[in-house]
């Protein structure tokens, strides 16, 4: 089975999903992601069609759909919110790049520290709450929620990259991190695509 927007939306409306919120707090080391996700969510050993809710921030959800066909442990990341158009979407690096750029415009603290937060999440494997408390604790709850949506989506894209392209043979989530380092350096997404293939 290959999940599509209609199937994901139907499963959400019928509440046919597994609640896995909080099962992975901070990211495991890149080389151990497959083992950790298999131990906690069965992504390798159970390839039966499933939709798993992994992050929930108010009405914003990050879900993973199993199976997908890239590797024997692959999954697809989806995001859902009734307030977005479309409501259900596979978040791309372009989408996350736009979220990153838009967030930086909302407050000087976000502009200053969002790249640090991204590095702490993907490289240093900090939890989302620890990252937000460290860099953005003084901000309003509304801004913290927007940052959390970005980090929660990025977290699962990073985990997906570590699953599909596991280190040390491949770069895994380092590839995602490189995108944000280049965005921070002033590159546009189209320019980044000339440097990195993603």
């Amino acid at each position: 089975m290959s999940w599509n927007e209609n199937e994901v939306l139907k499963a959400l409306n019928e509440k046919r999903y597994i609640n896995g919120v909080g099962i992975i707090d901070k990211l495991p080391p890149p080389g151990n992601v497959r083992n950790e996700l298999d131990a906690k969510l069965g992504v390798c050993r159970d390839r039966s069609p499933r939709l798993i809710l992994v992050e929930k921030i108010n009405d914003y959800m990050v879900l993973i759909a199993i199976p997908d066909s890239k590797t024997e442990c692959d999954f697809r990341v989806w995001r859902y919110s009734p307030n977005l158009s479309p409501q259900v979407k596979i978040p791309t690096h372009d989408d996350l790049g736009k979220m990153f750029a838009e967030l930086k415009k909302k407050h000087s603290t976000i502009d200053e520290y969002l790249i640090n937060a991204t590095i702490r999440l993907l490289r240093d494997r900090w939890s989302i709450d620890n990252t937000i408390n460290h860099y953005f604790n003084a901000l309003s709850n509304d801004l913290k929620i927007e940052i959390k949506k970005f980090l929660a989506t990025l977290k699962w894209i990073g985990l997906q990259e570590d699953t599909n392209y596991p280190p040390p043979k491949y770069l895994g989530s380092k590839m995602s991190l490189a995108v944000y380092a280049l965005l921070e350096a002033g590159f546009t997404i189209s320019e980044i695509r000339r440097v990195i293939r993603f």
Side-chain angles (χ1 to χ4, degrees):
M1 173 182 180
S2 185
W3 292 86
N4 63 41
E5 288 178 23
N6 291 335
E7 288 165 345
V8 171
L9 197 53
K10 186 177 179 192
L12 284 168
N13 288 334
E14 295 173 358
K15 305 221 181 305
R16 285 187 295 108
Y17 57 86
I18 298 162
N19 187 347
V21 172
I23 203 159
I24 303 284
D25 185 26
K26 61 182 195 171
L27 285 73
N32 196 38
V33 166
R34 277 189 182 192
N35 291 338
E36 185 85 7
L37 291 181
D38 194 40
K40 293 188 173 178
L41 298 170
V43 297
C44 302
R45 62 180 148 57
D46 180 3
R47 300 303 289 165
S48 62
R50 291 169 289 145
L51 189 64
I52 304 170
L53 174 65
V54 290
E55 306 283 340
K56 188 168 188 326
I57 303 109
N58 295 342
D59 61 4
Y60 184 89
M61 299 178 179
V62 179
L63 306 110
I64 63 169
I66 300 167
D68 194 48
S69 57
K70 285 186 184 174
T71 69
E72 67 277 4
C73 299
D74 193 26
F75 53 88
R76 180 69 47 102
V77 178
W78 292 85
R79 66 100 181 113
Y80 165 81
S81 174
N83 300 317
L84 293 173
S85 182
Q87 291 182 337
V88 172
K89 188 175 190 311
I90 294 170
T92 64
H93 286 294
D94 287 22
D95 296 329
L96 286 169
K98 287 176 191 166
M99 284 177 82
F100 181 85
E102 289 302 312
L103 276 171
K104 287 173 65 65
K105 293 176 188 172
K106 293 190 176 202
H107 196 281
S108 60
T109 300
I110 302 173
D111 184 41
E112 179 77 21
Y113 293 111
L114 191 58
I115 187 63
N116 298 47
T118 303
I119 291 167
R120 292 295 189 190
L121 180 78
L122 291 178
R123 185 193 70 191
D124 300 339
R125 317 309 264 191
W126 282 17
S127 71
I128 293 169
D129 286 340
N130 189 27
T131 304
I132 288 175
N133 289 338
H134 186 80
Y135 291 107
F136 308 114
N137 203 35
L139 296 181
S140 71
N141 282 337
D142 288 345
L143 286 175
K144 286 193 262 192
I145 285 167
E146 292 307 307
I147 297 165
K148 194 169 187 177
K149 289 176 186 176
F150 167 73
L151 292 176
T153 311
L154 180 61
K155 169 184 168 179
W156 285 92
I157 294 294
L159 289 169
Q160 183 184 36
E161 297 290 345
D162 287 332
T163 300
N164 287 342
Y165 308 104
K169 185 175 180 183
Y170 302 104
L171 291 175
S173 58
K174 282 185 178 178
M175 202 62 133
S176 296
L177 188 53
V179 171
Y180 299 97
L182 290 171
L183 281 171
E184 186 69 12
F187 284 68
T188 65
I189 287 286
S190 59
E191 289 170 334
I192 292 169
R193 286 191 180 280
R194 290 161 51 189
V195 178
I196 300 174
R197 209 170 43 164
F198 62 86

